[in-house]
């Protein structure tokens, strides 16, 4: 299996509850390595741009409100089959449906405030990494 990269966000509900380290430990324990990381407070423009694929969905406005409601940690994760590995440890979007031992089952508050984001394909991972990081920030 090839070593690849994916993009992760620790969302405002998790940073608010001081779970940055706990969530990152679950990512690391799943075989992912943090190769870039920064804590930012997303602007409205960044949130709207990042979630533009969801523009037509009814929850888009509230999702952008939520993602700008506090700091987030944007990270690039590396590992074997990183996109799938990350989504497996994240769990289902709705924590009510998430499997035991996943980040969302353990920490998410709701389908919206679900603690983490993870890219859903290699192609989207590359786009999302570029959205938040320059090449010289990917330090390995
Ligand atoms: P993410 O993209 O954050 O990794 P995901 O791929 O599991 O999560 P998407 O369908 O891409 O889920 O939705 C993006 C985000 O929008 C979700 O993580 C969640 O925060 C929010 N969201 C999704 N569905 C709903 C909903 N029905 N009501 C409110 N918020 C939602
Ligand atoms: Mg998604």
């Amino acid at each position: 299996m090839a070593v690849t990269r994916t993009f992760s966000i620790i969302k405002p509900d998790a940073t608010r509850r001081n779970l940055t380290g706990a969530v990152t430990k679950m990512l690391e324990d799943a075989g992912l390595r943090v190769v870039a990381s920064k804590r930012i407070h997303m602007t409205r423009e960044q949130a709207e741009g990042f979630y533009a694929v969801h523009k037509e969905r009814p929850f888009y406005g509230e999702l952008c409100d939520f993602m700008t409601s506090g700091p987030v940690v944007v990270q690039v994760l590396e590992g074997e089959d990183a996109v799938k590995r990350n989504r497996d440890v994240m769990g289902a979007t709705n924590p009510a449906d998430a499997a035991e031992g996943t980040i969302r089952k353990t920490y998410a508050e709701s389908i919206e405030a679900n603690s983490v984001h993870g890219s859903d394909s290699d192609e989207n991972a590359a786009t999302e990494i570029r959205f938040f990081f320059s090449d010289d920030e990917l330090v390995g």
Side-chain angles (χ1 to χ4, degrees), residues 53-127:
V53 291
H54 295 312
K55 203 165 11 189
E56 307 308 326
R57 314 239 328 238
F59 56 79
Y60 176 68
E62 281 184 13
L63 178 60
C64 293
D65 291 343
F66 167 61
M67 292 300 289
T68 56
S69 68
V72 301
V73 181
V74 291
Q75 308 203 98
V76 180
L77 307 176
E78 192 175 86
E80 286 190 4
D81 204 5
V83 167
K84 179 173 188 301
R85 191 176 284 267
N86 184 37
R87 288 186 71 89
D88 284 350
V89 71
M90 286 164 57
T93 308
N94 186 345
D97 301 328
E100 287 297 332
T102 61
I103 294 169
R104 284 168 167 167
K105 179 71 174 184
T106 306
Y107 293 124
E109 295 182 319
S110 67
I111 191 170
E112 177 182 83
N114 60 3
S115 302
V116 280
H117 162 85
S119 309
D120 58 12
S121 67
D122 286 347
E123 190 187 358
N124 285 338
T127 304

Side-chain angles (χ1 to χ4, degrees), residues 4-80:
T4 57
R5 287 179 172 178
T6 190
F7 175 74
S8 165
I9 305 177
I10 302 177
K11 295 186 179 183
D13 66 287
T15 61
R16 179 170 43 76
R17 288 175 289 150
N18 204 26
L19 294 171
T20 297
V23 169
T24 301
K25 170 131 174 59
M26 289 182 79
L27 297 169
E28 291 174 340
D29 287 347
L32 294 159
R33 170 178 293 271
V34 177
V35 297
S37 181
K38 58 188 174 187
R39 194 173 184 95
I40 62 169
H41 196 131
M42 266 193 219
T43 63
R44 184 84 197 176
E45 195 180 9
Q46 281 177 312
E48 288 178 353
F50 183 75
Y51 280 118
V53 291
H54 295 312
K55 203 165 11 189
E56 307 308 326
R57 314 239 328 238
F59 56 79
Y60 176 68
E62 281 184 13
L63 178 60
C64 293
D65 291 343
F66 167 61
M67 292 300 289
T68 56
S69 68
V72 301
V73 181
V74 291
Q75 308 203 98
V76 180
L77 307 176
E78 192 175 86
E80 286 190 4

